[in-house]
């Protein structure tokens, strides 16, 4: 084993910390063809995302997809790109900052550090882990911002995190949050977001809950994503008191000719417009932050599909983003998942400081430099 991560300066009385690695999917660096091509190459080269033989898939990716799709995707990104850059990155940074501030208040002087990473693109998982390592991390909690588990998303983050940790000689204690699709606070936050929108705009004829899709064959092979999406939708509908006729769960963002999870969002909205549904509201409970798939595909493309099919009114309800209920949920998950670690226990700071000082004295007595 070759440990390629260089050692850090060490002192026996240095405080250690709990690192929270907050991870989302990722984004191109700019809404340009070249930047989108780099991003898509990394994303679609992941064997967790595309489960196909490499000898078959990589030529298709490099010779066909990366020569056609980046130009179209760059135009879509340009529609949602803000003055501060990618909406996904901007919102994720707001979430990381808000989570750090909330943890500082909930766990003052406990040594909890939050770092943001993207599975693809920047800030990268290796760089975020090194940032936490340099802050004295001895315990690591990874929080993927995917409420519903899928091998294509959550497991891919696990792969990237552990690949980086394999380069380290001194590993932190390690915990990983798999999902929170049925967490009561998550369901309550989604329902509250819908109710706040209704209070301002009124209620539509139908509420559509659109989740990102995965290929049907992944579900057939045992991926639990479809089931977790269904449970999220059911719990939100129950919380809102909706009848089966008042809501619909769909899947969006399919790629390629294979069958993906059904029903498809775009086809469902088109059928609703043709069938006389006049007023639709759409939420995307599988996304922790607004991004290309919500702001361009759902809020723009699908709106046009519904209206052109005969619908009259279409509204997109934003993701939870950096809202207070969402940050409260993340804080609660951190505290529960890190239970037993000193940073989230009753205030042990004085005792820990004394122990560090005693440790340094013992080390010096044995000949250590510090």
């Amino acid at each position: 084993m070759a440990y390629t991560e260089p050692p850090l300066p060490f002192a026996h009385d240095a405080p250690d910390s709990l690192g929270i690695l907050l991870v989302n999917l990722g984004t191109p660096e700019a809404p340009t063809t070249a930047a989108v091509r780099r991003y898509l190459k990394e994303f679609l080269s992941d064997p967790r995302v595309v489960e196909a033989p490499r000898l078959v898939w990589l030529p298709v990716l490099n010779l066909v997809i990366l020569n056609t799709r980046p130009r179209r995707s760059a135009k879509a990104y340009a529609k949602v790109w803000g003055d501060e850059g990618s909406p996904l990155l901007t919102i994720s940074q707001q979430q990381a900052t808000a989570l750090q501030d909330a943890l500082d208040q909930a766990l003052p002087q406990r040594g909890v550090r939050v770092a943001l990473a993207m599975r693809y693109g920047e800030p990268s998982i290796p760089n975020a882990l090194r940032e936490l390592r340099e802050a004295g991390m001895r315990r690591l909690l990874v929080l993927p911002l995917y409420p519903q588990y899928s091998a294509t998303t959550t497991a891919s983050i696990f792969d990237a995190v552990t690949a980086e940790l394999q380069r380290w000689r001194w590993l932190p204690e390690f915990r990983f949050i798999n999902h929170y699709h049925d967490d009561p606070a998550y369901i309550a936050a989604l329902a509250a977001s819908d109710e706040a929108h209704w209070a301002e705009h009124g209620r539509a004829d139908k509420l559509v809950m659109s989740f990102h899709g995965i290929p049907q064959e992944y579900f057939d092979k045992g991926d639990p994503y479809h089931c977790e999406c269904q449970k999220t939708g059911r719990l939100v509908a129950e919380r809102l008191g909706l009848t089966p006729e008042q809501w619909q769960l769909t899947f969006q963002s399919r790629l390629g000719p294979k069958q993906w999870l059904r029903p498809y969002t775009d086809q469902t909205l088109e059928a609703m417009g043709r069938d006389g549904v006049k007023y639709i509201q759409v939420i995307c409970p599988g996304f922790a932050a607004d991004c290309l798939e919500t702001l361009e595909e759902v809020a723009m493309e699908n709106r046009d599909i519904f209206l052109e099919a005969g619908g009259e009114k279409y509204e997109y309800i934003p993701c939870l983003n950096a809202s207070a209920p969402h940050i409260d949920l993340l804080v609660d998950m951190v505290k529960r998942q890190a239970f037993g670690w000193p940073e989230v226990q009753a205030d042990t700071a004085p005792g820990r400081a004394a122990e560090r000082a005693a440790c340094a004295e013992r080390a010096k007595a044995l000949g250590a430099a510090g």
Side-chain angles (χ1 to χ4, degrees):
M1 171 66 71
Y3 300 109
T4 56
E5 188 65 22
L8 291 173
F10 177 77
H12 286 85
D13 58 352
D16 52 15
S17 68
L18 163 60
I20 310 298
L21 185 66
L22 200 66
V23 192
N24 211 322
L25 181 73
T27 177
E29 296 176 1
T32 65
T33 300
V36 172
R37 181 180 291 112
R38 288 193 298 272
Y39 170 73
L40 288 178
K41 183 177 179 65
E42 182 182 8
F43 174 43
L44 296 176
S45 295
D46 187 345
R48 290 283 197 180
V49 174
V50 180
E51 296 182 17
R54 301 292 91 184
L55 290 177
V56 175
W57 171 244
L58 292 181
V60 173
L61 173 63
N62 288 295
L63 298 178
V64 180
I65 294 176
L66 293 180
N67 285 318
T68 56
R69 191 175 181 88
R71 184 176 294 105
R72 296 197 305 270
S73 294
K75 292 179 180 178
Y77 274 108
K79 295 178 184 178
V80 301
W81 212 263
D83 294 338
E84 298 178 343
S86 159
L88 175 62
L89 180 58
T90 300
I91 294 168
S92 297
Q93 290 169 333
Q94 294 169 353
Q95 290 171 330
T97 298
L99 179 58
Q100 182 70 74
D101 291 343
L103 288 170
D104 287 344
Q105 292 184 12
L107 303 169
Q109 299 180 338
R110 305 288 184 84
V112 181
R113 300 287 182 269
V114 177
L116 173 67
M118 296 290 158
R119 174 60 184 90
Y120 313 102
E122 296 294 336
S124 69
I125 287 176
N127 285 341
L129 284 171
R130 291 169 197 152
E131 174 188 331
L132 293 173
R133 181 173 178 262
E134 290 170 0
M137 176 182 66
R138 292 292 175 262
R139 285 159 293 279
L140 170 64
L141 177 63
V142 180
L143 174 47
L145 288 169
Y146 300 126
Q148 297 78 24
Y149 174 93
S150 173
T152 61
T153 52
T154 314
S156 180
I157 289 175
F158 179 87
D159 292 346
V161 169
T162 53
E164 171 60 23
L165 292 180
Q166 288 179 48
R167 304 174 61 242
W168 296 16
R169 181 178 297 275
W170 189 351
L171 293 176
E173 294 183 71
F174 177 41
R175 296 179 186 174
F176 189 93
I177 297 177
N178 255 13
H179 55 196
Y180 53 99
H181 68 289
D182 57 356
D183 188 293
Y186 163 64
I187 300 301
L190 289 173
S193 175
D194 295 338
E195 289 169 339
H197 188 89
W198 292 346
E200 183 175 355
H201 301 280
R203 293 176 60 160
D205 301 327
K206 213 171 188 76
L207 177 67
V208 175
M209 302 187 199
S210 180
F211 293 81
H212 200 290
I214 62 171
Q216 176 68 35
E217 66 177 301
Y218 296 4
F219 172 58
D220 295 339
K221 292 176 179 178
D223 196 301
Y225 178 73
H226 177 270
C227 299
E228 296 195 358
C229 292
Q230 294 290 340
K231 187 173 185 180
T232 296
R234 174 176 60 80
L235 292 175
V236 171
E238 290 175 356
R239 178 92 182 197
L240 293 171
L242 299 177
T243 66
E245 295 75 27
Q246 292 176 313
W247 71 284
Q248 172 76 56
L249 188 148
T250 62
F251 295 94
Q252 64 183 82
S253 308
R254 63 193 183 275
L255 171 67
K258 291 186 177 182
Q259 179 173 318
W260 284 46
L261 297 179
R262 293 176 181 267
Y264 299 144
T265 299
D266 54 356
Q267 293 180 1
T268 299
L269 290 170
E270 183 177 17
M272 286 180 178
R274 289 198 310 264
D275 293 343
V277 179
K278 298 303 182 184
Y279 183 11
I280 289 291
Q281 290 167 338
V282 184
I283 62 171
C284 295
F287 295 85
D290 275 310
C291 56
L292 179 73
E293 287 80 4
T294 65
L295 297 174
E296 196 274 338
E297 181 181 357
V298 171
M300 297 180 187
E301 283 188 16
N302 288 346
R303 176 183 182 277
D304 292 343
I305 289 172
F306 176 68
L307 296 180
E308 289 172 6
E312 296 180 359
K313 192 173 182 181
Y314 180 100
E315 293 169 354
Y316 168 65
I317 301 175
C319 294
L320 296 178
N321 294 327
S323 63
H326 195 196
I327 301 305
D328 290 344
L329 161 65
L330 299 182
V331 170
D332 184 60
M333 281 200 296
V334 167
K335 293 168 70 174
R336 282 187 281 119
Q337 297 290 338
F339 181 79
W341 281 347
E343 290 82 3
V344 299
Q345 296 303 97
D347 192 0
T348 58
R352 293 171 65 201
E355 173 56 27
R356 288 194 300 269
C359 177
E361 291 300 319
R362 290 192 295 268
K364 289 176 182 178
L366 293 171

